[in-house]
Amino acid sequence: MGNLYLVTGGAGFIGSHIATALVNRGDQVRILDNLLTGHRSNLAHLEGKIEFIEGSICDVEVTRQAVEGVKIVFHEAAIPSVPRSVVEPRFTHEANVEGTFNVLLAAKEAGVKRLVFAASSSAYGDTEVLPKHVEMYPNPLSPYAAQKLFGEFYCQVFSKVYGLETVALRYFNVFGPRQDPSSPYSGVISKFVTSLLANEPPLIFGDGEQTRDFTYVDNVVSANLLAAEAPNASGSVVNVGVGDRISLNQLLAELQKILGTNLTPNYAELRAGDVRDSQADILLTEKLIGYKPLVSLAEGLRQTVEWYKQNQ
Ligand code: UD1
């Protein structure tokens, strides 16, 4: 019997990619997901190869069952989105903070070796200096940012006090196949690509000059697998990005080039809680867990467009 891995939020966008990578290398995988923002269809290709528990990380009993016999937890379950957290602060707090606490406590009680946490670049807020590195004082601008930061602090405390190994990965704007474009809170790349494919003008909040370090999902999967094994990483927080940034206007131009479209976007008011610029410093990530981005933005965009073409 190999090691058992738990992916919370494993039916979601990022979680399903982590689960796939684990199954592909022959590991045993259990998934805990309440299918609120995740979909069983994200796991269709893994049918019969994984154990699936339908339930919420807010349910203490089901979370306890999910961690039983598990060696490593990838904790991806969350209610993402900055604007959603502005509209639904309590609901997102329950999932992102209390849910994370439940997973950590259950993992500690079950003797899990290590938990890798999906943290967020939003914790930085606006900074005077780019790229952003983890020594910077956090400056959350939204409930979501505060909730994810809280999760990081809890991870560190569980390492220090209870000896549960943890690594928190601050994801920078992840995109790729299976990212769900259907909600008003969906990630911008999923929104832009599906609008362009439908020949509808994309919507840009603000002037479109805000920048992001868009990170293809395969890079995030590789960071997770490395973080699960890295010998001297417990208790740490590291960035997972590419180390570059482009504006939304530039992003849209890149996508139009790939798709051969020429649609003029509509501009709307900037969203509350929005960060102006975002770019990861990934030096520490390389040093601590050996991470290097494997897929460039250009290549990631091409693969993502291809996937939406086939699957929309
Ligand atoms: C934030 C976090 C990210 C986190 C994610 C979870 C930052 C820098 N990043 O992403 O780490 O994982 O939340 O949800 O805080 N936009 C449009 N048109 C659209 C949709 C979005 O213009 O149709 C704009 C947004 O206003 C924003 C940018 O595109 O300026 C990116 O938005 P989104 O993809 O939602 O991610 P962030 O809020 O940047």
Side-chain angles (χ1 to χ4, degrees), residues 14 79-83 119-123 125 132 142 144-145 148 170-174 179 184-189 191-192 195 202-206 208 210-214 248 251 266 269-271 273-279:
I14 299 172
I79 303 293
S81 167
V82 166
S120 168
S121 68
S122 58
K132 300 179 181 190
S142 61
Y144 178 76
K148 282 290 180 178
R170 281 190 187 171
Y171 297 165
F172 281 67
N173 290 73
V174 188
Q179 190 168 31
Y185 303 124
S186 299
V188 67
I189 291 183
K191 284 292 197 196
F192 279 6
S195 295
L203 182 60
I204 295 185
F205 298 109
Q210 62 267 55
T211 59
R212 294 290 184 271
D213 186 342
F214 291 106
L248 295 186
L251 168 71
N266 292 321
E269 206 174 309
L270 194 68
R271 295 199 303 207
D274 209 59
V275 168
R276 185 67 184 172
D277 296 302
S278 184
Q279 181 182 5

Side-chain angles (χ1 to χ4, degrees), residues 291-307:
Y291 164 82
K292 273 191 178 164
L294 304 172
V295 183
S296 68
L297 174 63
E299 179 54 29
L301 290 178
R302 270 193 296 276
Q303 294 196 21
T304 303
V305 164
E306 209 35 58
W307 186 84

Side-chain angles (χ1 to χ4, degrees), residues 46-85:
L46 301 179
E47 219 46 66
K49 297 179 180 163
I50 49 158
E51 185 189 338
F52 183 81
I53 301 177
E54 184 172 342
S56 167
I57 54 170
C58 293
D59 181 332
V60 172
E61 256 328 295
V62 92
T63 305
R64 279 198 187 126
Q65 287 163 20
V67 294
E68 229 166 81
V70 167
K71 182 175 176 211
I72 307 273
V73 175
F74 295 100
H75 177 37
E76 311 302 306
I79 303 293
S81 167
V82 166
R84 181 163 192 176
S85 77

